[in-house]
Amino acid sequence: MKILVINCGSSSLKYQLIDMDNESVLAKGLCERIGIDGSLLTHKPTGKDKYEVTVPMPDHKVAVKLVLDALVDKEHGVISDTSEISAVGHRVLHGGQYYSDSIVVNDDVKKVIRDCFDLGPLHNPANLIGIEACEASMPGTPQVAVFDTAFGQSMPEKAYMYAIPHEYYDKYSIRRYGFHGTSHSFVSGETIKFAGLDPEKAKVIVCHLGNGASVSASIGGKCVDTSMGLTPLEGLIMGTRSGDLDPAILQFICNKEGKDINEMLNILNKKSGILGMSGVSSDFRDVQKAEQQGDHKSIVAIEAYEYRVAKYIGSYAAAMNGVDAITFTAGVGENDGIIRAAICEYLGYLDVEIDAEKNKTRGEKIMISTPNSKVKVSVIPTNEELAIARETLALV
């Protein structure tokens, strides 16, 4: 069975075609600048040369058609006909409180995705466009929605409720949802297997550290808390997002600078975080280079980033009354041993001990804790596309 995985952004479409018999990637690619001049399709079939073409893509429907044409192309394709695609799995950002699991798309599912536009204004409209484009190009092929917020639906009320008047929850479903859920679900499950833990009782903390970053706590693979909230702005310091702060700061700056709330949220989402603190870049490599050259703001930015992650780990160890394993994943988590080591230096009270040599490994599944460490610490590359494909396969 072959599953096509689609992840639509407002002007992009990422895809992978996966053979679920052995979970191998047959082809993957990216459509960029959809609806913008200079639209580009990059298609990489496994075992063949990369294929790039600049072609107009006025909308996602045209992009989906180009992807399907590339997959069946005589020279660059990997299948003879689109009928070989058994189902399409779509990454959908926000399912609100309606869905705690993936689901085969029907009219009701599309209505929920549409109803959640306010909660995911950048992603949900594009996700729905991608679903409808695939329906038009592949009539009769099952479409499955895999919600990024589904993992957080198992959180208890004490973890997801905000301390604001309850009427706002009743009226607008304002609560903590959490994001990166597909990644957290996949990596927490892989951690349990890799570390040989009890699948029913394992207490796992996953640190998804990239330009966007979040931490989750799970027991037996079920989320009990996660750092992002109503939106991905809450929680850790990120590449351009502020993470946690005193909300009164918004009013203070608005009054001082003559800005409105929309301008302030744009600043907190796109001009803050590592970029805002360092004044150098949102790319950790650039900021670390400046840090090594003695730039004070860059030093503080990296230290604050590490400190915030360590605080969340500590709070989740308390919330679960213990922790069996801590796993690092995503771009920074998988590749930056210096940041991993700095975070783990805060965890002496948990008797965490890191093998310095193993911690130098980049982008590979590896146990980086020593045999003496009371908490197992590992690096496990995330694979959201495979997780979406597995969810899709289970439903169809």
Side-chain angles (χ1 to χ4, degrees), residues 12 17 28 62 87 91 112 122 161 164 166 174 180 184 199 205 209 254 257-258 283 289 340 358 383:
S12 66
L17 183 64
K28 62 182 177 180
V62 173
R91 186 243 184 182
V112 166
L122 295 179
M161 289 296 290
I164 59 176
H166 204 282
I174 293 177
H180 297 141
H184 283 291
I205 294 173
L209 307 182
C254 283
E257 299 278 332
D283 189 308
K289 186 176 180 181
R340 291 194 300 255
K358 289 181 178 178
N383 192 334

Side-chain angles (χ1 to χ4, degrees), residues 62-92:
V62 173
V64 167
K65 179 68 165 57
L66 289 167
V67 169
L68 296 177
D69 287 347
L71 291 172
V72 300
D73 183 85
K74 287 186 178 180
E75 186 177 350
H76 309 290
V78 292
I79 54 176
S80 58
D81 189 87
T82 56
S83 63
E84 292 184 42
I85 299 173
S86 301
V88 184
H90 296 265
R91 186 243 184 182
V92 180

Side-chain angles (χ1 to χ4, degrees), residues 56-375:
M57 297 182 211
D59 54 38
H60 286 74
K61 186 175 179 180
V62 173
V64 167
K65 179 68 165 57
L66 289 167
V67 169
L68 296 177
D69 287 347
L71 291 172
V72 300
D73 183 85
K74 287 186 178 180
E75 186 177 350
H76 309 290
V78 292
I79 54 176
S80 58
D81 189 87
T82 56
S83 63
E84 292 184 42
I85 299 173
S86 301
V88 184
H90 296 265
R91 186 243 184 182
V92 180
L93 180 82
H94 221 302
Q97 297 193 85
Y98 303 100
Y99 293 117
S100 57
D101 294 294
S102 303
I103 189 166
V104 177
V105 173
N106 56 27
D107 288 342
D108 288 339
V109 174
K110 287 191 283 186
K111 182 181 182 302
V112 166
I113 295 172
R114 193 174 287 108
D115 289 345
C116 291
F117 278 8
D118 284 349
L119 294 172
L122 295 179
H123 296 85
N124 268 43
N127 300 154
L128 183 58
I129 289 168
I131 289 170
E132 293 179 334
C134 286
E135 288 177 330
S137 298
M138 309 170 69
T141 302
Q143 310 290 321
V144 172
V146 180
F147 295 97
D148 209 32
T149 51
F151 184 63
Q153 288 296 299
S154 60
M155 285 191 288
E157 281 187 274
K158 64 184 179 183
Y160 71 68
M161 289 296 290
Y162 286 112
I164 59 176
H166 204 282
E167 64 185 283
Y168 299 124
Y169 173 73
D170 296 332
K171 285 180 179 179
Y172 310 118
S173 300
I174 293 177
R175 51 159 281 180
R176 298 180 65 251
Y177 288 97
F179 298 87
H180 297 141
T182 307
S183 175
H184 283 291
S185 178
F186 176 82
V187 174
S188 59
E190 291 295 303
T191 299
I192 290 170
K193 290 186 284 186
F194 186 52
L197 303 175
D198 184 336
E200 302 296 323
K201 299 178 181 177
K203 297 175 179 178
V204 175
I205 294 173
V206 172
C207 302
H208 178 111
L209 307 182
N211 200 271
S214 57
V215 182
S216 70
S218 61
I219 299 176
K222 299 292 185 184
C223 179
V224 296
D225 209 340
T226 189
S227 59
M228 285 178 167
L230 175 73
T231 75
L233 185 56
E234 186 179 355
L236 302 180
I237 296 168
M238 306 176 218
T240 64
R241 294 186 186 120
S242 65
D244 296 337
L245 49 66
D246 179 347
I249 291 171
L250 279 71
Q251 181 191 41
F252 187 91
I253 295 176
C254 283
N255 291 339
K256 292 288 186 181
E257 299 278 332
K259 298 184 184 298
D260 63 26
I261 191 66
N262 293 316
E263 290 176 294
M264 273 310 306
L265 284 176
N266 187 60
I267 290 168
L268 295 184
N269 272 296
K270 297 180 179 179
K271 299 179 181 180
S272 299
I274 291 291
L275 170 64
M277 290 187 75
S278 70
V280 172
S281 172
S282 63
D283 189 308
F284 282 79
R285 292 165 295 189
D286 296 337
V287 180
Q288 284 174 318
K289 186 176 180 181
E291 176 193 32
Q292 290 160 9
Q293 294 170 348
D295 180 72
H296 178 71
K297 288 191 290 185
S298 295
I299 292 169
V300 174
I302 295 293
E303 288 182 346
Y305 178 85
E306 296 160 347
Y307 178 67
R308 182 77 60 88
V309 175
K311 284 211 299 182
Y312 265 95
I313 291 172
S315 67
Y316 287 167
M320 295 191 292
N321 196 17
V323 56
D324 298 311
I326 299 166
T327 298
F328 293 94
T329 193
V332 175
E334 292 169 23
N335 295 295
D336 198 319
I338 294 173
I339 284 180
R340 291 194 300 255
I343 292 167
C344 289
E345 282 182 11
Y346 286 99
L347 309 180
Y349 66 97
L350 293 174
D351 289 325
V352 165
E353 189 176 293
I354 299 299
D355 184 313
E357 201 59 37
K358 289 181 178 178
N359 187 44
K360 294 177 182 177
T361 304
R362 294 171 57 89
E364 294 179 23
K365 181 187 286 189
I366 188 170
M367 192 69 66
I368 61 172
S369 53
T370 68
N372 293 328
S373 182
K374 289 191 177 179
V375 177

